[in-house]
Structure formats: C-alpha cells, structure tokens
C-alpha cells in the first residue's frame, strides 16, 4: 500500500511537469512540443524598442539593464527568462546612471575595431575582449552586439571605425579572436551586420548588388572565417537588401550559406527594426526579430494558421532560440555584481592601444623624443580627444584621457598659453552652442563630425616655435552610425587644417624644430598632399578612453610602435574604384527614411567586384599614399629564408624574424600568396595568414609559423558555383607590408581541387570590373 502511494505520488508530481516542462538543456524537444503557437511566436520576437527619455534609454523595455539595446521575451511557465542584448564593438553600451541610485554603471571605452585590427595580433584582441566580456557578464547582459565585421569597401562608410579591415582574412581572424574572448566569459556575441552593410546612406533600403564571386571571396569570407573558427552565439542580419532581397528575408544568406555551407548552429536576429514581412524572415531562417512588437507575433501566428509559413520552419527557429536560452547567464541565474574591475580594464585598453597604434612617418628618427621636451600642442581635438565613434558603437565611459594629459603623463611639458587659447574657444562654443540632447549613443543626431579648428595667428605660431622644442598637431574626425563621411573637410583635410599644418611646419622648421601629426580619426583621411610637410605621423585612430596615454608612450619611446594598416591609404579618394558608385555626394533629404530627393540610392552596384583595397591598387598598378599592411617601428627586422612544407591539405610555412636594430620591438608578418598563372583572373597576391612576434630584444629572433589550407587558396568560380584551387606553383610571400616582401618561397599543388557549395546568389545581373 505504501509503495502504491509513493508510485501514485510520483505519477501526479510528474504529470504537471510533463504537461509543462521547465526548460533544461536536455529537454528542448519536450519544451518545444509543449509550446502553443503563440508562445513559439513570442519567443521569436524580441521585447519592445527601448524609449529614449530625457536623453537616457528607458529601462522600461529592457528591465534591470538600463540602456541595453533589447531583450528576448520570457515565458514563465517554462522557466524561460528574459535575456538582455547590448552594444557594441568598442565596449559595452548601457546607461551609466540610473534613477533612484547614485551608483554608476560605466563601461570601459576600448579601442575601436579598426585599431584592434591594426595590431595584427589575435592574442591581444582576445585579451581585450575577454575583459570586455567580463563587463557584459558583470552588468547582467547576455549578448554583446558585436563584433562588426563588414569590409571597408569604401573609406567613407560612416561605420568603418567599428569594422576591421578591407581584407576578409584579417577581418575574419580579428572577429574570431574577438568572439573567443567575449564568449570565454560564457556570454554571447552577435557578429554583424550580415551582410554587405557597407554604407550608411539609405541603409534600410539600399540594395547591394554583388556578384557571387565578390560575395563569397570578400563580403561573406570574413563572416565564414569567424563563424567557423569561433562559433558566435548569434548573427545579426543587416538592414539592407542584398541582390534583391532584404538580408533578413534571404534564405540564400541565412540558411543555404550560413547553415548549410558553414554549419552555423546559433541564432540569427534582425538588426534593430525588422521589416513588415516577418513571416518571410522567419521562413528564411531569421530566428529573432529585434526589437519586437505584438504585431510581429501576430504575423507569425497568422502565417502559420493560413499556411503561408510552415510550422516546421517556426519550430526550427524556436529550437535555435531554446538552444540559445540555455547557454545564457540569465538562464543560469548568474548573480552579477554590477562591479567589473574598471581599473584593470582601463589598463588592458591602454596596453592594447599602444600595441596597435600605427607609425606612418618618422623622418630622420624624429621619434621617439628624448623625453621632457616642451611641446606646442595644436588642434581643438587635442583637448576634445575622440575615444570612439558615435551611434550604437558609443560606450558610456567614465572619462577620456586627452592629448594634453597623455603628453604630460609621458613626462612632457605642454605649452599652457596655447592650451588656454583652445580652452577659451571650447568654453565659448559650449556656452553658445545650442544644447542638443545627447542620448547614450553619444550623439545629438546621426552621424559624426569634423571638429572645427580655429586659426592660430602666424605671429603666435612663431613665438610658440621659439619657446617650445617640438610641435604636435592633432587632426580629429568623429565618425558615426547613420551617415557616411564626405570628401571635402572629412576625407580631405579642411582648409583650416591644411593652413595649420603649413604654418606650424614653416615656423618650427625655420628654427630647426620638428612637427608631429597625430591622426585621431575613425576612418582613412587624405595624407599625400601634406605628409611631406611634417616629420612624423602617428595614427591612433579612435583609441579608447586611455588611448592618448598610449600615444604619449609612443612619442616618449616607452612603447615601440608595432601596428600596421588594415587598409590602404590612397592618394585620392577617387582612386578607389568603389567611388564610382558610392553615394559620396549624398545630401540628406527630408522625405523620410533617409531618402535623398535628388539622388537615387536605392541600390549600389558593386561593379568593382573583387577589386577592393590593395587587390585593386596592385592590379591596376596605382600608386598609394600608404599601402595595406604598412607601419614603421623604432627598430628594424630581418626575415630569414623561409620554409614551406606541404601537409595533407595545404602547407605550413615558417620564417625567422630577427630584431636587427637597437631597441626592443615586435614585428607583424603578413603571409600573402600569389596564384599560378592561367585559370581565373586573380589579384596579384592575397593575404592568407599573419602572425606577430613577441617582444624581441636587439639581436633576438623568433620563428613564426603559418598554416594555410588548399581551401583557403581557392577562388570562387561563379560560372560553376564552386571553389577552385588551381594546380601549379604558388608563391608564398612573407611581407612587412603588402609593398615590402623581404622573403618568399613556393608551394606546389599537383592537381586542381574543388569544393561545392549551395546554389545561392546565382544569376546576379552585374558585370564585375575586369583586367
Ligand atoms: C545598429 C546595430 C546595433 C543596434 C542596437 C542598430 O542601429 O545598426 O549595430 O547593434 O542598433 O543598438
């Protein structure tokens, strides 16, 4: 009798559990079966858009993590919690203050993506994002909406600062390291914006028309590398259309390429603002609409009921969502502290900036300075130093070190009267400036800005040259989400800036003193017309809250620069073939939806095909101001005779790098491959791998090893829809930059190898540029 009671008891206890299982990682199918259609739709639609109230993102829509960009919806009866999603690439973006508490919630402003890529150091990037991911975890966020990996197709894209490079191998490997670091904290990432979101102008509607070859070799390759190597928890589809379809509704992109070809197993979410065709997006493999609303839930329910969306497709997405939920800290009920170690992370940010800053010019060893010099510091941006860009990539950091502080911290004396002059102007501007509410994306409106530079009278410059040892001029750009940059006064220096460089160089050189330019910019600027006027150029990009300290350390020689360019600096903007069809002269219209009344930007033909960045400049034999992969050091390196050994599916290469100079330093080596002649037309050479030495003392050597597979050597033959590695002799080039190859060797591939892919992006009517 007793036994029967126990058995009955167990049966009745199990019954409700069976009807209404509480989610665990082992009962996903059971939970899926128990869900109603409405519940399934609810899980695939995010919480409502967070409102911005008095310049602060309202916590209402996003619960306790105020300022998080969005969330997923809870389903209490299955124990499914709300999970939180927040931006975004240079650190976590949440509100720094909250009503009802004096506690603050600042995050670390790390270097922007472009600076991280300039390090050419995957270990460094992983270290940075391990710290970043810790802030995600400790502030109660489940997914960081980063990294941004879109290619630098054109230098004017307003969001290039968030992205890494013009090259897919550098971008993809940077993204992989980024994802590994963040996700080592058991929080997620969202690699974005998938795919071809290469301009901000009319980004919601623009149709990027790209050939299958250019897509597979460039615009998808970076995602492919990162997704295969690092398995991000989530992918964010982009706003734009790609070859005629919104990416969030493209089965080719989201299912055939992403899941079938690459084996991706995480979720796909929309970028912020899904489209009306929610059911189409669901069918195509977009699992989550962000942010969401009740209408979208209803659309999914209706579509299943009227047979336009199969429940099997919805179930597939729900299964993906449940697999995502069980990994999250929210699901684990992680007891977050709201107290990450910001001090320790500031140091990580500073060290990373120092390792990645690029030295572009250093005539007659102008740098490093001896130490303790009197510095005349020019440019409003010296005081209003830009740590990062605006928009969702902004970080609400507690402070930003400016260039005056950076120089002083490195032991220099900064000319105070010049500082007073600039400060008075800034105070005046602040007092008179119309107060625009700045939300937590760091801007009053969309887009970035060029900091106006006031003139410094010629007589004053002469006096400053007399009483100082050296001049430092800061050139500043602040790019941002929502607008592309322009050619005059942004890509090109303004007249005021040119005059400043001219006047300061003339006055200082007259008395035998040097001039250093610091480019505190978010994207490429024109350098060729003025670089010969100055003695040194340092490129810290937007280096995060501690970046000015890193610049100070480089000027003082405490750090030997080892960063290299992740893109080409052309002679002129119009040298880029993509300038033929990039909306560089677009003026924002007033017809809503970013549309320009006079200029059609509904589509962008990527007519240059694969000829992006150095691939084009080398093939066209066009001179550049600074080549891809270029960066100077305070020491010199030699490369030994390399080795290349065939493996079962490719080769392993080594090269020994020796520090042949007088100070310790690090060297990034870029491995390029030139394909055998015959077959498809290919770039002169393409980056296939890269590696960086540790700190080498003078005379010290290190062996660097590179692994390349035959698949990585292949090009995409769109006529037969497959990857092909041509047979023959490949030249393996070990570059200090794309234009400087100190060592090379060969690799022989006996017979052609091919790899088939899904039928996707076939029949795109675009003719690529040919050579
Ligand atoms: C951006 C995304 C960002 C999202 C959430 C969008 O405007 O394009 O990159 O993650 O907002 O803030």
């Amino acid at each position: 009798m007793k036994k029967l009671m126990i058995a009955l008891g167990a049966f009745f206890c199990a019954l409700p559990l069976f009807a209404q299982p509480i989610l665990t990682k082992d009962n996903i199918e059971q939970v899926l079966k128990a869900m109603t259609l409405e519940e399934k739709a609810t899980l695939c639609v995010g919480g409502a858009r967070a409102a911005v109230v008095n310049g602060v993102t309202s916590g209402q829509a996003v619960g306790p993590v105020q300022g998080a960009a969005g969330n997923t919806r809870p389903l209490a009866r299955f124990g499914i919690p709300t999970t939180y999603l927040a931006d975004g690439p240079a650190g976590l973006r949440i509100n720094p203050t909250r009503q009802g508490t004096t506690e603050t919630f600042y995050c670390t402003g790390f270097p922007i993506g472009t600076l991280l890529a300039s390090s050419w150091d995957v270990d460094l990037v992983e270290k940075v994002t391990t710290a970043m991911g810790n802030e995600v975890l400790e502030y109660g966020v489940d997914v960081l909406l980063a990294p941004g990996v879109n290619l630098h197709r054109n230098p004017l894209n307003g969001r290039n600062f968030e992205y890494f490079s013009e090259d897919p191998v550098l971008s993809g490997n940077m993204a992989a390291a980024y994802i590994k670091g963040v996700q080592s904290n058991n929080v997620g990432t969202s690699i974005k914006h998938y795919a071809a979101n290469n301009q901000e102008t009319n980004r919601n509607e623009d149709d990027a028309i790209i050939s299958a070859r250019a897509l597979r070799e460039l615009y998808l390759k970076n995602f492919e590398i990162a997704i295969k190597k690092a398995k991000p928890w989530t992918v964010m589809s982009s706003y734009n259309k790609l070859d005629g379809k919104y990416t969030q509704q493209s089965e080719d992109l989201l299912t055939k390429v992403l899941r079938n070809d690459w084996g991706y197993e995480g979720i796909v979410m929309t970028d912020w603002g899904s489209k009306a065709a929610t059911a189409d997006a669901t069918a195509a493999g977009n699992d989550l609409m962000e942010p969401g609303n009740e209408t979208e839930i209803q659309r999914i329910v209706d579509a299943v009921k009227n047979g336009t969306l199969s429940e099997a497709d919805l179930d597939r997405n729900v299964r993906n969502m449940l697999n995502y939920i069980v990994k999250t800290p929210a699901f684990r009920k992680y007891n977050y502290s709201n107290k990450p170690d910001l001090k320790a992370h500031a140091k990580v940010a500073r060290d990373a900036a120092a390792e990645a800053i690029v030295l572009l010019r250093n005539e007659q060893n102008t740098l490093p300075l001896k130490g303790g010099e009197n510095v005349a510091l020019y440019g409003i941006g010296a005081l209003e130093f830009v740590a990062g860009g605006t928009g969702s990539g902004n970080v609400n950091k507690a402070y930003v070190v400016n260039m005056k502080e950076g120089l002083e911290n490195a032991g220099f004396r900064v000319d105070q009267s010049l500082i007073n002059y600039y400060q008075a102007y800034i105070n005046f501007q602040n007092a008179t400036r119309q107060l625009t509410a700045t939300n937590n994306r760091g801007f009053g409106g969309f887009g970035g800005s060029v900091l106006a530079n006031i003139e410094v009278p010629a007589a004053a410059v002469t006096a400053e040259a007399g009483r100082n040892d050296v001049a430092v001029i800061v050139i500043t750009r602040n790019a941002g989400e929502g607008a592309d940059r322009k050619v005059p006064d942004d890509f090109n220096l303004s007249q005021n800036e040119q005059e400043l460089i001219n006047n300061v160089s003339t006055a200082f050189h007259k008395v035998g003193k040097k001039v250093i330019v610091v480019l505190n910019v978010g994207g490429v600027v024109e350098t060729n017309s003025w670089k010969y006027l100055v003695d040194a150029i340092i490129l810290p990009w937007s280096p995060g809250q501690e970046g000015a300290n890193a610049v100070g350390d480089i000027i003082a020689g405490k750090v030997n620069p080892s960063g290299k360019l992740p893109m080409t600096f052309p002679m002129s903007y119009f040298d880029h073939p993509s300038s033929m069809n990039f909306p560089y002269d677009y003026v924002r219209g007033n017809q809503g939806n970013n549309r320009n009344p006079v200029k059609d930007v509904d589509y962008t033909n990527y007519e240059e095909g694969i000829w992006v960045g150095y691939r084009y400049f080398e093939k066209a034999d066009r001179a550049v101001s600074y080549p891809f992969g270029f960066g100077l050091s305070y020491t010199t390196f030699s490369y030994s005779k390399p080795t290349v050994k065939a493996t079962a599916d490719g080769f392993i290469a080594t090269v020994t790098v020796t520090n042949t100079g007088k100070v310790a330093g690090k060297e990034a080596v870029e491995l390029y491959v030139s394909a055998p002649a015959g077959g498809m037309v290919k770039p002169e050479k393409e980056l296939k791998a890269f590696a960086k030495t540790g700190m080498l003392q003078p005379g010290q050597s290190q062996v660097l090893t590179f692994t390349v597979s035959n698949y990585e050597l292949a090009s995409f033959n769109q006529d037969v829809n497959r990857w092909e590695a041509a047979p023959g002799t490949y030249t393996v080039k070990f570059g200090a930059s794309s234009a400087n190859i100190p060592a090379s060797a060969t690799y022989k591939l006996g017979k052609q190898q091919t790899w088939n892919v899904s039928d996707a992006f076939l029949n795109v009517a675009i003719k690529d540029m040919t050579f």
Side-chain angles (χ1 to χ4, degrees), residues 69 87-88 93 145 159 162 192-193 197 200 203 236 239 271-272 392 441 446 481:
D87 291 306
R93 182 175 65 88
L145 301 172
R159 294 186 83 172
E162 296 183 53
K192 67 190 187 184
H193 307 88
N197 185 179
E200 287 299 281
R203 66 177 178 174
M236 189 187 291
Y239 283 128
D271 196 349
W272 262 233
S392 58
R441 292 179 164 218
F446 267 107
E481 181 184 347

Side-chain angles (χ1 to χ4, degrees), residues 347-645:
K347 179 159 179 355
V348 173
R350 175 177 180 161
D351 293 349
E355 295 289 312
I357 288 171
V358 186
L359 181 63
L360 288 178
R361 182 173 170 83
N362 194 19
E363 288 305 289
Q364 293 158 0
N365 298 328
T366 297
L367 293 173
L369 300 182
K370 288 197 190 64
E373 282 90 339
N374 294 318
V375 181
L377 181 57
Y378 294 93
I380 293 171
L383 296 178
E384 299 208 322
F385 202 71
V386 175
T390 61
S392 58
N394 177 50
V395 177
N396 296 302
K397 48 226 163 268
Y399 63 89
V400 176
V401 177
N402 69 27
M403 208 51 250
K404 172 183 184 281
E405 295 160 336
L407 286 170
E408 285 174 349
N409 292 341
F412 299 103
R413 280 187 300 271
V414 177
D415 188 298
Q416 193 55 43
S417 65
L418 202 45
I419 294 297
N420 293 345
Y421 179 70
Y422 283 117
Q423 192 60 57
Y425 180 73
I426 292 168
N427 294 347
F428 170 75
Q429 267 197 328
N430 286 346
T432 52
R433 190 183 286 162
Q434 282 270 323
L435 277 181
T436 50
T438 301
N439 61 25
N440 86 355
R441 292 179 164 218
F443 48 45
F446 267 107
S449 68
V450 182
L451 280 186
N453 253 320
I454 45 161
E455 257 174 62
V456 185
V461 180
T462 307
E464 285 140 13
R467 65 174 183 262
N468 289 288
D469 303 308
V470 61
V472 173
I473 303 174
V474 180
I475 299 293
T476 309
R477 297 286 182 276
N478 195 0
E481 181 184 347
D484 291 314
R485 297 168 55 214
K486 297 278 174 282
V487 179
D489 297 342
D490 194 339
F491 183 84
N492 290 344
L493 298 202
S494 68
Q495 203 187 334
N496 215 320
E497 289 168 330
Q498 291 170 32
E499 276 167 18
L500 182 69
I501 290 177
N502 234 324
N503 296 345
V504 170
S505 301
T506 307
F508 277 73
H509 289 162
K510 218 181 218 167
V511 289
K513 294 173 182 172
K514 307 277 192 195
V515 177
I516 302 160
V517 169
V518 174
L519 292 175
N520 180 205
V521 297
V524 176
V525 292
E526 189 277 328
T527 47
N528 193 56
S529 69
W530 56 268
K531 67 183 178 190
Y532 300 106
L533 297 176
V534 303
D535 305 286
I537 304 175
I538 302 172
L539 174 63
W541 301 109
S542 308
Q545 67 184 52
E546 286 279 343
N549 275 333
V551 177
D553 287 345
I554 281 179
I555 294 178
K558 288 184 192 154
V559 172
N560 183 355
S562 62
K564 293 186 174 182
L565 289 179
M567 81 296 282
T568 310
F569 271 49
M571 294 293 216
S572 140
Y573 166 73
F574 294 100
D575 289 350
H576 271 284
S578 60
S579 65
M580 289 187 298
N581 44 44
F582 190 91
Y584 63 87
D585 54 355
Y586 173 84
V587 179
R588 186 182 294 274
N590 54 6
Q591 297 188 343
N593 210 10
N594 291 0
R595 250 170 226 272
N596 185 307
V598 291
K599 194 171 166 76
D600 178 4
V601 283
D602 287 352
Y603 63 90
T604 303
N605 283 334
Y606 285 42
E607 284 158 329
E608 72 284 357
I610 60 161
W611 307 106
V612 173
Y614 69 91
R615 287 169 168 73
Y616 169 75
F617 290 105
E618 291 188 350
K619 195 76 173 179
D621 205 9
R622 201 174 256 265
V624 299
S625 186
Y626 293 108
F628 175 78
F630 174 83
L632 299 171
S633 165
Y634 296 153
T635 187
T636 49
F637 299 95
S638 72
Y639 293 24
S640 73
K641 197 169 164 7
T643 67
V644 172
K645 259 201 207 118

Side-chain angles (χ1 to χ4, degrees), residues 196 198 208-212 214-215 219 242-243 604 606 761 764 766 768:
N198 300 109
I209 302 187
I210 312 179
S211 68
L215 259 180
Y219 299 102
L242 172 57
D243 291 333
T604 303
Y606 285 42
F761 303 106
V764 180
I766 185 161
D768 289 353

